[in-house]
Amino acid sequence: MAEEKHRKTILDGGWLAARSTEVQFTGTQLTTTHPPTSPISPWIEAVVPGTVLATLVKNKIVPDPFYGLQNETIIDIADSGRDFYTFWFFTTFHCNLSTTNQYCDLNFRGINYSADVYLNGHKTVLPKGMFRRHSIDVTDILHPDGNNLLAVLVHPPDHPGTIPPEGGQGGDHEIGKDVTTQYIEGWDWMTPIRDRNTGIWDEVSISVTGPVKIIDPHLVSSFFDNYERSYLHATTELENRSSWSAECSLTIQVTMELEDNICLVEHLQTQSLSIPAESRVQYTFPELFFYKPDLWWPNGMGKQSLYNVVISIDVKGFGESDSWSHLFGFRKIESNIDVATGGRLFKVNGEPVFIRGSNWILSDGLLRLSKKRYNTDIKFHADMNFNMIRCWGGGLTERPEFYHYCDYYGLLVWQEFWITGDVDGRGVPVSNPQGPLDHDLFLFCARDTVKLLRNHPSLALWVGGNEQTPPDDINAALKIDLRLHPNFESVVENTKSVGDLLPVLRDPSPKDPSQYLDGTRIYIQGSMWDGFADGMGNFTDGPYEIQNPEDFFKDSFYNYGFNPEVGSVGMPVASTIRATMPSEGWQIPVFKKLPDGYVEEVPNPIWEYHKYIPYSKPNKVHDQIQLYGSTVKDLDDFCLKAQLVNYIQYRALLEGWTSRMWSKYTGVLIWKSQNPWTGLRGQFYDHLLDQTAGFYGCRCAAEPIHVQLNLATYFIEVVNTTSEELSNVAIEASVWDLEGTCPYYKVHENLSALPKEVASIVEMRYPKSTNPKPVYFLLLKLYNMSDHRIISRNFYWLHLSGGDYKLLEPYRERKIPLKITSKVSVDESAYNIQVHVTNTSKSPPDSKYPTIEYSSISTGSARGTGKEHETGFFKRIHSCFAGKSDGLKVSEINGNDVGVAFFLHLSVHASKTEYKEGEDARILPVHYSDNYFSLVPGESMLVNISFEVPQGVTPRVSLDGWNYDGRQHTIVEIL
């Protein structure tokens, strides 16, 4: 290690691991006379951060538990005993201190569940608890030559439990006795994790400082004059580890990055102080004043402006002793129970936020966590236009890297503590009514977690647990610890008897908010209390299965203002099935027709093991796959039709909720965005990071400004979730039949929509017209009248009441011509490709547009006129999509038919000449500005594609779709 006054070094490479029962030496011997030097038995290369099971999988000692039924071949800790998953982890690091006034700490940000740490022969016992940080002063233990030996013996959770034959939520619930992840005994969406996530699962580092150390600063902003003036409050704890009083200069600097790595210094303040020997003191800076600071907004409401705050301390006679930095956002989050709906209403910077988001478990069940993966995960959520993620109580308290990307992309975070009713007070067998055995440990972990995460602007609220409140003493303590500073209390709170919203104990004298443990965010005792679900803790979340799309729009669907969990299907594409299952897992479900006419899907054993959720609900929802044809040919056919259903299902869910914005609902969180393994339910992208069509259904439905069809009333609606009035806009509605003609075309002009409102515009009356087609396409466009710029575009495939989509099956044989132009830019391994797809078929000459009589519309906050328009206007709108092909790569898909190019799907692959059965040549992840889209005759779509490729891999972009099934076309070949 270089001789610097302070530096943090992450120890994430060069680790070895071995099962404790196979190592003949003690920890003292391992770190003195008998260190392992290479991965020679019993030592293997270790995954740190990670888990024991992740290490065993990496070394192929056990098979990939996420593939097929291989998890069943791995011994469970309940059968093996805890010693089987008790492992040594060993590494070396170089660190020597240049002066007697330097100090070194060895830091563990997370170990599951406890550990014995040996450094150069010295032992330290780390206490239990998955969600706590450990810092060991190793100054006097380091070797003079700088070469240090570190061994960590990691013990599994104390109560790993057993897995009942029938499985169930949280196994036998014993895991709930420990302060650890609770999903690891299995759930209805997850198989058991055999080692119960034992390991050094989070960052390990060494940090070198001078005599004074900075500990857990707390940053808080307060606003005045309608957010024009703000003050930044900053408090930090300082520890003087020397035996003499330290005369110090403590500095805070606030900068904002403008562009091209140019930073603007907003504030620079230095204070002098004296810290007694071997003591800790708390210091609060004088308030820093900001005039009209750039605010941090959630996704879809504005920019995510972030300031870099750096706190450093110089000690007289030594120099800089320590420094700390963090990105900080000026914003104020409030919430209250909305009187009109009974749902919890969130406001950010004074603006109401209609919550549309998802639930989150964790990114990977083996805790192979990384910044790169987090970046992809959170960007995917932002790409779907979501504005909140709920970190479910049975999973992780998420890491600072997760929160960093939520800060960056604008995702509000609902963070729960480690309580879930399934393993804390109910279930079969009955679980622990008093939660974890060690309540003091739980509270210690909770307080340490708050200190770790409280400076992130994306963090919106703390919640005690999932579908359960913590035990009374823990709940009471959390209410006190997380009480709000008066500046952050909501001034509007209804008086319904919906639970204890504020702590019993109130601080009588308003202090600097940064001296509270948090002080800026509400604490809610459970996920179904105080404005969520029915507000009283009853089971009023869900449902969790396939629904009739129109039901989401009906008043009877869900009776409460904010649903924290509503779930549905999540079948991935066929390539993912082939990549994650052997051939016997490629068999599609058996469609079993019941006496009442409903169909029951019977999946193969591998799908059942991977928690497949059917596309039918006997006695409630007819099979949605078979709506497209009673004969489903094979895996490719099934998965393609599943994507059609995914798109419709999730678009309808969000559009149905948004249709009742503020009149019935304040928000909804979908269960869930993804699975931490290769699951087959409730996901918008699979574990390999390929998006389902449901991803793009959500992306469409959750646009800040959106045009949609109410599937219950068939009225066209305009949703405006922004704070600006929408004016001088028009809606174009066109119906296209399977022959490529346009029997219905209307334009409604001079519309406006007030901010934060849903406007019902006009009924789409085509189904009531003379001789409507049984299956048809509807294209809605909301555009700016001044320049014809498309603000929102929404494409539906529909059938008449009581019908189905079976006529789409022969439509697959139509050969619709396409022209594709592309532009490629490459920066090292990062590719950005613009793909411009045009449906070059033309409407038949006899395609006519109906005469539209002048009509006046005045409904709610929207008003306008509808006038007769000829095809010239229609073509003029479409010409806005037209692109030039000069200097671009051009490819064509030939065809002689006229009609809609339906459900086009782009994908990126490695260019290869030969493929083995089941081989996955996809390049993942890929970010698409749109996918699974359809084009009417003459229409174009511009899609931006970005991705990275491994060294030596040449990518190509392919296109397939309903009309192109089985004929995947390479449209961009990168030479």
Side-chain angles (χ1 to χ4, degrees), residues 228-258:
E228 288 203 350
R229 291 190 300 142
S230 178
Y231 291 91
L232 175 62
H233 310 263
T235 292
T236 185
E237 190 173 359
L238 302 167
E239 180 184 11
N240 180 5
R241 299 199 277 189
S242 70
S243 58
W244 40 273
S245 179
E247 302 300 320
C248 305
S249 296
L250 186 64
T251 300
I252 185 169
Q253 177 176 285
V254 184
T255 61
M256 169 167 268
E257 184 173 334
L258 301 178

Side-chain angles (χ1 to χ4, degrees), residues 816-828:
I816 308 298
L818 296 177
K819 180 179 180 180
I820 302 103
T821 59
S822 59
K823 182 179 181 181
V824 180
S825 62
V826 184
D827 182 6
E828 295 182 349

Side-chain angles (χ1 to χ4, degrees), residues 296-306 327 371-389 401-413 456-458 699 927 946 948:
W296 183 93
W297 291 96
N299 187 34
M301 295 183 67
K303 292 176 61 179
Q304 289 74 53
S305 299
L306 294 169
L327 291 175
K371 292 181 180 179
K372 186 174 183 179
R373 173 87 187 208
Y374 276 138
N375 187 9
T376 298
D377 282 319
I378 305 308
K379 187 177 188 308
F380 275 172
H381 287 73
D383 287 347
M384 285 187 282
N385 292 310
F386 286 170
N387 53 27
M388 179 176 277
I389 299 177
E401 292 79 12
F402 172 95
Y403 276 90
H404 166 78
Y405 289 111
C406 288
D407 296 342
Y408 184 80
Y409 291 113
L411 275 299
L412 297 168
V413 183
H456 288 277
S458 56
R699 179 182 176 87
H927 297 277
S946 60
E948 293 184 1

Side-chain angles (χ1 to χ4, degrees), residues 299-539:
N299 187 34
M301 295 183 67
K303 292 176 61 179
Q304 289 74 53
S305 299
L306 294 169
Y307 292 78
N308 189 36
V309 179
V310 179
I311 297 174
S312 59
I313 188 162
D314 278 39
V315 176
K316 186 176 180 179
F318 180 84
E320 186 175 276
S321 180
D322 197 8
S323 68
W324 174 93
S325 65
H326 204 286
L327 291 175
F328 178 75
F330 286 95
R331 95 290 178 270
K332 183 177 182 180
I333 298 178
E334 304 167 277
S335 76
N336 62 275
I337 296 179
D338 179 54
V339 176
T341 64
R344 186 154 286 274
L345 171 62
F346 288 86
K347 290 184 177 181
V348 176
N349 304 330
E351 293 286 343
V353 184
F354 187 70
I355 298 297
R356 292 176 291 188
S358 65
N359 285 263
W360 170 267
I361 315 301
L362 67 164
S363 62
D364 179 69
L366 302 188
L367 301 187
R368 295 167 294 193
L369 312 177
S370 69
K371 292 181 180 179
K372 186 174 183 179
R373 173 87 187 208
Y374 276 138
N375 187 9
T376 298
D377 282 319
I378 305 308
K379 187 177 188 308
F380 275 172
H381 287 73
D383 287 347
M384 285 187 282
N385 292 310
F386 286 170
N387 53 27
M388 179 176 277
I389 299 177
R390 173 193 173 209
C391 292
W392 176 73
L396 281 188
T397 299
E398 269 302 351
R399 302 296 86 200
E401 292 79 12
F402 172 95
Y403 276 90
H404 166 78
Y405 289 111
C406 288
D407 296 342
Y408 184 80
Y409 291 113
L411 275 299
L412 297 168
V413 183
W414 157 337
Q415 181 65 66
E416 285 180 0
F417 295 113
W418 320 283
I419 294 289
T420 174
D422 299 275
V423 294
D424 291 295
R426 66 170 194 264
V428 179
V430 175
S431 52
N432 321 298
Q434 290 302 311
L437 296 181
D438 190 337
H439 289 198
D440 289 339
L441 171 60
F442 186 98
L443 286 169
F444 182 93
C445 290
R447 290 162 182 152
D448 196 53
T449 294
V450 173
K451 292 176 183 178
L452 177 68
L453 301 176
R454 63 190 176 186
N455 294 313
H456 288 277
S458 56
L459 179 55
L461 74 159
W462 303 102
V463 177
N466 166 63
E467 298 178 347
Q468 183 64 287
T469 62
D472 290 345
D473 59 327
I474 293 178
N475 197 35
L478 289 174
K479 286 183 178 182
I480 295 170
D481 286 344
L482 296 172
R483 64 192 183 276
L484 288 172
H485 185 277
N487 288 354
F488 292 87
E489 293 178 5
S490 178
V491 296
V492 180
E493 187 65 80
N494 101 358
T495 57
K496 288 182 179 180
S497 178
V498 292
D500 186 9
L501 302 177
L502 294 176
V504 176
L505 297 181
R506 296 290 301 279
D507 194 329
S509 58
K511 297 182 295 185
D512 176 352
S514 66
Q515 295 189 25
Y516 284 56
L517 181 62
D518 185 334
T520 69
R521 302 168 179 90
I522 60 167
Y523 167 73
I524 301 293
Q525 56 190 337
S527 66
M528 298 190 298
W529 279 257
D530 305 340
F532 301 118
D534 74 347
M536 305 297 289
N538 298 304
F539 288 104

Side-chain angles (χ1 to χ4, degrees), residues 208-280:
V208 177
T209 70
V212 178
K213 178 183 177 181
I214 297 170
I215 302 173
D216 290 329
H218 188 197
L219 309 176
V220 179
S221 60
S222 56
F223 295 97
F224 302 92
D225 301 334
N226 197 27
Y227 300 93
E228 288 203 350
R229 291 190 300 142
S230 178
Y231 291 91
L232 175 62
H233 310 263
T235 292
T236 185
E237 190 173 359
L238 302 167
E239 180 184 11
N240 180 5
R241 299 199 277 189
S242 70
S243 58
W244 40 273
S245 179
E247 302 300 320
C248 305
S249 296
L250 186 64
T251 300
I252 185 169
Q253 177 176 285
V254 184
T255 61
M256 169 167 268
E257 184 173 334
L258 301 178
E259 56 184 23
D260 299 327
N261 295 319
I262 297 175
C263 291
L264 174 67
V265 177
E266 296 278 355
H267 276 282
L268 180 63
Q269 185 183 103
T270 300
Q271 303 293 318
S272 298
L273 67 156
S274 179
I275 305 176
E278 299 176 344
S279 66
R280 287 192 178 196

